[in-house]
Amino acid sequence: MERPTQSDFYALLQCVREIYAHVGLETFQAQVLSALSKVIPAEAIIWTEIDLQRPRVKAEAKPPEALPPDTELVLARHLNEHPLINHYLQTHDSRAVKLSDLLPRRQFHRMALYQELYRPMGAEYLMTVWLPSPSPPLISIASIRGWPDFSERDRLLLSLLQPHLLQAYRNAEAISQMELKLDGLGRAVEESDRGMVLLTPEGQVQWMTGQAQHWVEEYFGKFPDIHSLPAALWRWV
């Protein structure tokens, strides 16, 4: 087996650093796809959310043009025959798995899934990890290639990243939920004609209502640094 090199592990650490950035779900997917593309050589990396009950699929790729316009409709139509999806549903193994682990290439070529989706994409080889969740949707991150197949080095690096991808996704979920709550709280405070400032223990401004900003600037002048309170106000706090 090809062993990961020192530069591979450096790229792995850089990827982990990038995916743990404090962002919500709105920008998390694009950040993950960008970070993974620097670790696993691939022609495209695809984030897919799958709702088996409807059925419905949402997909995003780097580069975006890798996905044909009808990708989501075609994939939703063939969910029940997708080898990688069926393997995950049967095993609940979220580690990296290659399509070539599950069926020969000739058999893959005979599938309608290949003819309608992967052949137009030029995708001959796929490797996927999953982000388990107790509720829909199922989330997969897939790397695709035309040639050659993914190596065991690629599989090892993607498997090592999987728990970090899962935790970073949960962090992004929590950040998005907090942002929604803060937005609701902000609207309530604004409607009550009161101001509110949310600070870190060190005094950094995390969030401020419009009314609070108006009053601070009225009495203390314009903010030289929007992330910090005026010195006199911070001393009082």
Side-chain angles (χ1 to χ4, degrees):
M1 183 182 92
E2 179 187 359
R3 293 180 179 273
T5 64
Q6 184 175 354
S7 61
D8 288 331
F9 286 115
Y10 177 77
L12 192 75
L13 291 173
Q14 288 291 103
C15 179
V16 169
R17 184 178 294 113
E18 288 184 37
I19 65 175
Y20 275 120
H22 296 289
V23 297
L25 290 176
E26 187 175 342
T27 56
F28 179 72
Q29 295 176 20
Q31 188 164 295
V32 164
L33 296 179
S34 176
L36 282 177
S37 67
K38 302 169 188 176
V39 179
I40 309 297
E43 290 164 26
I45 299 180
I46 305 171
W47 175 290
T48 309
E49 298 181 2
I50 303 164
D51 188 335
L52 294 171
Q53 298 175 353
R54 300 206 175 185
R56 189 170 64 183
V57 172
K58 181 180 177 182
E60 181 177 339
K62 181 180 175 60
E65 60 271 18
L67 294 181
D70 59 350
T71 293
E72 295 174 349
L73 292 175
V74 173
L75 187 53
R77 190 161 63 242
H78 295 291
L79 286 177
N80 63 344
E81 66 176 283
H82 201 301
L84 290 165
I85 295 174
N86 289 333
H87 176 264
Y88 176 70
L89 292 175
Q90 293 166 7
T91 65
H92 299 287
D93 186 351
S94 56
R95 294 173 299 177
V97 60
K98 300 190 291 184
L99 181 65
S100 55
D101 296 332
L102 307 177
L103 78 170
R105 194 171 169 209
R106 288 184 180 179
Q107 184 178 342
F108 178 44
H109 285 181
R110 289 196 295 268
M111 300 176 70
L113 177 68
Y114 172 79
Q115 296 296 332
E116 295 180 30
L117 179 61
Y118 291 119
R119 183 179 181 183
M121 293 172 63
E124 296 292 330
Y125 299 99
L126 292 83
M127 183 170 64
T128 299
V129 290
W130 296 84
L131 306 185
S133 174
S135 59
L138 294 174
I139 299 175
S140 74
I141 303 173
S143 302
I144 65 171
R145 280 184 189 166
W147 184 267
D149 197 359
F150 294 94
S151 67
E152 291 306 305
R153 168 262 183 202
D154 299 326
R155 188 205 302 269
L156 173 61
L157 293 177
L158 192 56
S159 291
L160 289 172
L161 280 170
Q162 190 276 335
H164 294 286
L165 291 165
L166 178 58
Q167 184 59 58
Y169 175 74
R170 289 174 177 168
N171 292 353
E173 274 188 316
I175 289 172
S176 291
Q177 291 171 4
M178 182 181 69
E179 288 173 344
L180 284 174
K181 291 177 181 177
L182 285 175
D183 184 58
L185 177 61
R187 289 197 302 269
V189 172
E190 294 284 8
E191 291 170 3
S192 70
D193 196 33
R194 293 179 181 273
M196 179 177 289
V197 182
L198 181 64
L199 302 172
T200 67
E202 294 76 28
Q204 294 294 302
V205 176
Q206 288 189 307
W207 174 73
M208 179 183 295
T209 65
Q211 183 63 68
Q213 183 171 349
H214 171 73
W215 282 336
V216 171
E217 291 181 349
E218 181 178 356
Y219 290 101
F220 296 94
K222 290 289 185 180
F223 280 75
D225 178 3
I226 61 171
H227 300 296
S228 302
L229 290 178
L233 184 55
W234 171 236
R235 285 195 299 270
W236 175 80
V237 171

